[in-house]
Amino acid sequence: MTLLVRSSGDPLDLVPAVRDVVRRLDPNLPMMQTRAYEDLYLNQAVYGPRIAIDLVGMMGIVGLVLAVAGLYGLVAYNVSRRTREIGVRMALGARRSDVLRLVMGKGMLLVAIGTVIGIAMGFAVERLMNAMLFDAGGVDVLVYLIVVPLMVVVTMVAAYVPARRAARIAPTLALRYE
């Protein structure tokens, strides 16, 4: 139950008088959370959504970190499995730039596949959410123009470290690698 009282002065000065009236009407009725409407409005309309937005942003950052760690792990594992092949390629005359391009190409293939699937799923989920909640408009193209290149850059960096390590493999050590 909510009781709103209009006042011309400081609304909190009326609290004792309102509390007395409420107690006269029903002595068992408690008065909790007595505050000004401005505070109620700020809590309901400003601070609550801000907390939700901050939470979603933090989850996005955690998701980005997990994606980078996963891609790094996948490319590093792929490089470790192909160490012997990379050593043979280098022994036969492949340059470090060739090995770097080979490993980065595999990483970028993963990025391309993930980007296509992610964009398709993003459009589908955005349309579903607009239909379920309220029609907030069409697809937010600006978000895709920011997020997709950011993900490509981040995944290129995540793939570069194992690719650089692979390019530094000594052919003699790679041929002995088990």
Side-chain angles (χ1 to χ4, degrees):
M1 181 184 310
T2 304
L3 175 66
L4 295 175
V5 178
R6 182 183 297 202
S7 71
S8 59
D10 185 17
L12 296 178
D13 290 341
L14 293 177
V15 171
V18 171
R19 183 172 281 130
D20 290 339
V21 171
V22 169
R23 284 206 177 112
R24 272 188 270 137
L25 292 173
D26 186 358
N28 294 325
L29 191 64
M31 270 187 66
M32 302 163 63
Q33 293 187 355
T34 305
R35 56 186 163 180
Y37 185 75
E38 294 160 3
D39 296 336
L40 177 70
Y41 175 77
L42 284 175
N43 285 333
Q44 297 295 322
V46 177
Y47 298 138
R50 184 178 296 161
I51 290 171
I53 289 170
D54 290 344
L55 268 169
V56 168
M58 290 305 295
M59 284 189 275
I61 290 170
V62 168
L64 179 66
V65 168
L66 287 174
V68 168
L71 183 70
Y72 172 80
L74 188 65
V75 173
Y77 177 73
N78 187 23
V79 168
S80 71
R81 300 258 313 164
R82 298 176 68 190
T83 301
R84 187 172 208 140
E85 172 198 342
I86 292 170
V88 169
R89 287 176 185 264
M90 292 186 78
L92 293 175
R95 294 172 299 192
R96 291 180 192 264
S97 60
D98 296 331
V99 173
L100 191 67
R101 193 173 328 116
L102 173 75
V103 175
M104 286 291 289
K106 291 291 184 181
M108 292 312 295
L109 178 65
L110 292 172
V111 170
I113 292 170
T115 300
V116 169
I117 292 171
I119 287 174
M121 288 180 68
F123 282 135
V125 168
E126 189 169 15
R127 292 191 63 174
L128 177 69
M129 294 304 281
N130 280 339
M132 285 174 46
L133 298 173
F134 51 87
D135 193 13
V139 173
D140 194 0
V141 178
L142 180 64
V143 171
Y144 290 101
L145 290 176
I146 292 171
V147 171
V148 171
L150 176 69
M151 287 301 295
V152 169
V153 168
V154 165
T155 50
M156 281 178 60
V157 170
Y160 177 74
V161 175
R164 190 183 60 178
R165 190 177 311 133
R168 291 184 177 168
I169 293 174
T172 55
L173 291 175
L175 292 175
R176 285 189 235 145
Y177 184 77
E178 290 298 319

